[in-house]
Amino acid sequence: MNRSNVTSLVLVAALLAASGQVWAAPKPKVMGFEEWRQAVVELELDPAEVVYPFRITEEMAAWAEEKLHGFRGQSPEFQLEVLQRAFFDKGEFEFEYDVVRTLTAEEAFAARQGNCMSFTSLFVALSRSLDVPTYLMSVRRRPEVIKDEGLVVVNRHVVAGFKAPNKVHLFDFYVTDSQPHITQRILDDLEASSIYHTNIGGAAIRAGDLEEAVRNLEMAVVLAPHWAPAWVNLGVARTRLDDTEGAFAALFRALEVESGNSSALVNLAKIYREQGQNEEADAALRAAAESTQNPFTLIAMADIEMVRGELEEARQYLRRARWWYGKEPEVYDALARLARLEEDDEKAAKNVKRAAELRAQAQQEAEERSD
């Protein structure tokens, strides 16, 4: 297929750590299991089907208490720092990052691994067992996107938060990460469950289990109807099931709760394109490209401009893509396509070579991680 006529579905997988604007109420609400359960019942969901990610066992609580022995008289913030460091104790805990595994607190404690949601759920559960009321927070920083078998995966990040009298303290899996964070949002326990099911639904989409994906994502949007990633993923799942009307409804809902959501716009563009509505598809892609740093959206727009013969417009999109993601091979593939149209064979060869170097580097890094 001609790339200019095809836009990959965007799957918002994983989650959304330190300054920024806090969107939620200044006094966060920590529910706890029983209040969470009652709230789930009031939403007409079955608590046996919905996952509470912060469940904790006696063994886990005892481990946390042991780690904090001798520090219980210190400030809550200091105790949380001690607990965070304990996750990386050499030879004892050594929590390992795994981007694809979304686990509950109990599962993460047993596995000693997981993604940011897994780590944060475990941290929140353990700290609450120590009577320190932490909560989940979503944070935004420079977008982190990867290609996964034709899907553009947009990773949103979560961390643990604790509200002191004059400051919100964040506790991140990436303890050495100094990258600035743009915005923060406090999440209650229902939203935490929604994010969990959003992740599980995204994983089910990638695994091809679309019925399981829809089941999880439909729970997610009931638990947190303002959480745009759940609506985006639900739109993807429905699209894969050829439920075009349902996909449109989910994607437009994502735009209602998060105006300008580039993932929703790119997915709408794909559906429009498949229905022969090319003007609507181009308009959706252009709207997505105006506000996004996602290189794959920018590449798609550049390809459209190349087909139209608007090479300078294409160049501007690709400059933005390279600025944000200078180590993404597909950026250089697109630059090579542009160079060929401009009959600059030397520049085309240079970009092809750079793309090959980056793919080889990524492959080597993946092999080293697997070892």
Side-chain angles (χ1 to χ4, degrees):
M1 290 184 177
N2 188 313
R3 185 187 175 95
S4 65
N5 293 325
V6 179
T7 303
S8 296
L9 285 177
V10 175
L11 171 64
V12 182
L15 298 167
L16 281 193
S19 63
Q21 177 184 0
V22 178
W23 303 341
K27 192 172 183 180
K29 184 177 182 182
V30 175
M31 286 182 167
F33 177 71
E34 290 304 326
E35 188 176 354
W36 170 90
R37 186 181 187 283
Q38 182 57 39
V40 169
V41 171
E42 290 173 1
L43 291 172
E44 299 184 356
L45 293 173
D46 183 355
E49 295 292 321
V50 182
V51 172
Y52 182 64
F54 306 138
R55 291 292 292 268
I56 191 168
T57 66
E58 291 183 4
E59 178 190 2
M60 293 164 63
W63 181 88
E65 191 65 48
E66 178 186 350
K67 291 301 173 184
L68 269 292
H69 181 72
F71 299 104
R72 297 295 271 147
Q74 301 292 330
S75 69
E77 304 95 287
F78 185 86
Q79 292 181 56
L80 291 172
E81 290 174 4
V82 172
L83 180 62
Q84 183 183 35
R85 288 195 298 270
F87 280 73
F88 307 98
D89 282 348
K90 293 290 184 181
E92 181 179 346
F93 202 93
E94 297 187 64
F95 194 93
E96 294 182 2
Y97 182 68
D98 184 339
V99 67
V100 301
R101 296 197 71 185
T102 299
L103 305 174
T104 65
E106 185 175 357
E107 292 167 340
F109 184 80
R112 300 305 205 251
Q113 63 178 227
N115 58 16
C116 62
M117 179 65 182
S118 309
F119 169 83
T120 305
S121 295
L122 178 56
F123 187 86
V124 167
L126 293 174
S127 57
R128 288 183 183 181
S129 76
L130 298 167
D131 297 320
V132 182
T134 56
Y135 42 83
L136 204 68
M137 290 190 70
S138 69
V139 293
R140 284 184 177 273
R141 50 189 179 185
R142 173 180 168 180
E144 299 171 354
V145 297
I146 58 174
K147 261 297 187 58
D148 181 7
E149 297 182 0
L151 297 174
V152 179
V153 181
V154 181
N155 293 313
R156 294 191 175 180
H157 191 47
V158 291
V159 299
F162 172 74
K163 186 168 179 16
N166 300 313
K167 181 180 180 181
V168 174
H169 296 268
L170 304 183
F171 297 86
D172 194 351
F173 181 89
Y174 304 103
V175 290
T176 62
D177 189 359
S178 60
Q179 191 174 35
H181 302 95
I182 304 168
T183 53
Q184 310 167 12
R185 182 168 178 269
I186 296 169
L187 305 170
D188 64 27
D189 290 6
L190 283 178
E191 292 171 304
S193 290
S194 176
I195 292 173
Y196 174 90
H197 284 286
T198 299
N199 278 17
I200 297 300
I205 291 173
R206 292 194 299 275
D209 191 347
L210 300 178
E211 297 295 340
E212 179 66 7
V214 168
R215 186 184 74 83
N216 277 278
L217 294 165
E218 288 184 344
M219 283 193 290
V221 298
V222 173
L223 290 162
H226 53 278
W227 180 245
W231 289 107
V232 173
N233 282 5
L234 182 57
V236 173
R238 287 174 173 172
T239 300
R240 295 286 178 82
L241 288 169
D242 295 324
D243 178 8
T244 302
E245 183 177 350
F248 268 124
L251 295 170
F252 280 121
R253 185 74 176 109
L255 291 171
E256 286 177 15
V257 300
E258 190 177 296
S259 178
N261 184 292
S262 63
S263 301
L265 288 165
V266 170
N267 290 345
L268 283 170
K270 179 181 186 298
I271 299 174
Y272 281 133
R273 190 84 66 202
E274 289 175 346
Q275 294 186 335
Q277 297 175 265
N278 290 326
E279 289 187 11
E280 290 85 349
D282 289 352
L285 268 182
R286 193 175 297 280
E290 287 302 317
S291 60
T292 190
Q293 296 165 1
N294 182 330
F296 305 109
T297 301
L298 297 172
I299 290 169
M301 278 307 304
D303 280 331
I304 289 172
E305 298 299 346
M306 285 185 230
V307 170
R308 290 173 171 164
E310 300 292 342
L311 303 188
E312 184 55 36
E313 290 290 328
R315 190 186 337 278
Q316 293 303 318
Y317 283 121
L318 295 179
R319 281 176 177 169
R320 286 173 56 194
R322 184 170 58 183
W323 173 262
W324 288 107
Y325 285 89
K327 293 186 177 181
E328 170 52 53
E330 291 199 31
V331 172
Y332 296 92
D333 291 336
L335 286 167
R337 290 195 292 275
L338 178 60
R340 292 190 193 100
L341 288 173
E342 295 176 323
E343 299 183 349
D344 190 335
D345 294 338
E346 182 178 350
K347 184 179 289 186
K350 180 180 178 181
N351 283 303
V352 168
K353 180 181 178 183
R354 181 58 177 154
E357 290 172 347
L358 289 170
R359 286 192 171 92
Q361 180 182 334
Q363 179 64 30
Q364 181 179 351
E365 291 172 354
E367 290 173 356
E368 289 174 354
R369 286 194 299 270
S370 65
D371 292 341

